[in-house]
Amino acid sequence: MSDTPLQKTGLTWLIDGIDKGIAALERAIMAIGVILMAVNTIANVISRFVFNHSIIFAEELNSIFILLVTFAGIGYAARHGRHIRMSAISDALPQQARKLLMLLITAVTAVLLLVLAWYAVQYIISMYSKGRVYPALGIPVYISYLWVPIGLFVTGIQYALTFIKNLQEREIYLSTDLCEADAQELELEL
């Protein structure tokens, strides 16, 4: 191997650009979703105490925001290596065994998430055919569930990219941009 850094191809630039765009969209969705959920909840509390009536659609709206934030958040967590890890076993293993375990974990997780995304699409199609709507909002229920397969798909792709990164690099990567050694340093700083 040469000591010169690898040049990014046009496809790599495109993939990186799409990834950065998705990351920015996830951050915006999570921030706006949490703010709107807080505003909706506060408005409902004020309405209850001032007018003795809850806002009719507040609970339905918050459930939509929870879905939105949760499934935008799982992709974000996978992208930044912020997902929950049970590392007691892997920490006790030698470097090469940890690397193999990480390859196995990222590959299986990517496949499972992509399969779950496919099932989520099937579920949404069945909900669409039933024509269910939210009673207070009057919007079709399937619309609020569209974030589920999107979030699962994006997260599955993130794990697949992490698997590929672990195949290409010598170090162990928790995500495409977070090496295990860097993550341990971050944990020690906290």
Side-chain angles (χ1 to χ4, degrees):
M1 292 197 122
S2 69
D3 291 335
T4 60
L6 296 174
Q7 296 294 319
K8 289 189 175 187
T9 64
L11 181 61
T12 305
W13 280 106
L14 178 66
I15 291 171
D16 284 349
I18 291 170
D19 189 49
K20 287 178 183 174
I22 291 171
L25 184 62
E26 286 170 343
R27 280 191 306 273
I29 287 170
M30 288 187 305
I32 292 168
V34 168
I35 290 168
L36 290 175
M37 198 177 345
V39 167
N40 183 44
T41 302
I42 291 167
N44 192 34
V45 168
I46 292 170
S47 176
R48 256 186 290 165
F49 284 107
V50 173
F51 304 113
N52 279 338
H53 293 290
S54 291
I55 299 172
I56 296 170
F57 57 84
E59 186 178 335
E60 292 174 1
L61 202 55
N62 272 350
S63 68
I64 293 169
F65 290 143
I66 288 169
L67 276 171
L68 184 77
V69 169
T70 299
F71 286 94
I74 61 172
Y76 183 84
R79 174 177 284 104
H80 296 287
R82 295 292 182 197
H83 42 78
I84 296 172
R85 291 188 320 131
M86 302 296 197
S87 61
I89 295 172
S90 66
D91 288 347
L93 297 174
Q95 169 80 9
Q96 192 170 7
R98 281 198 334 267
K99 179 75 167 187
L100 290 172
L101 184 61
M102 184 56 71
L103 285 167
L104 177 69
I105 289 169
T106 54
V108 169
T109 303
V111 169
L112 287 176
L113 286 167
L114 294 172
V115 168
L116 284 173
W118 184 81
Y119 278 115
V121 168
Q122 300 306 312
Y123 180 70
I124 289 170
I125 291 169
S126 78
M127 288 183 77
Y128 173 78
S129 68
K130 292 175 184 171
R132 289 185 47 206
V133 295
Y134 284 107
L137 290 172
I139 62 172
V141 173
Y142 78 90
I143 291 174
S144 65
Y145 285 96
L146 290 175
W147 290 105
V148 175
I150 293 170
L152 292 169
F153 179 77
V154 167
T155 308
I157 295 300
Q158 284 300 318
Y159 275 100
L161 292 173
T162 303
F163 172 78
I164 292 167
K165 181 83 169 191
N166 277 307
L167 283 176
Q168 294 174 338
E169 301 291 334
R170 184 180 163 146
E171 295 86 15
I172 299 171
Y173 279 83
L174 304 178
S175 69
T176 54
D177 63 350
L178 183 63
C179 186
E180 184 182 52
D182 295 339
Q184 288 173 347
E185 288 176 21
L186 287 173
E187 288 172 3
L188 293 176
E189 288 175 7
L190 298 175

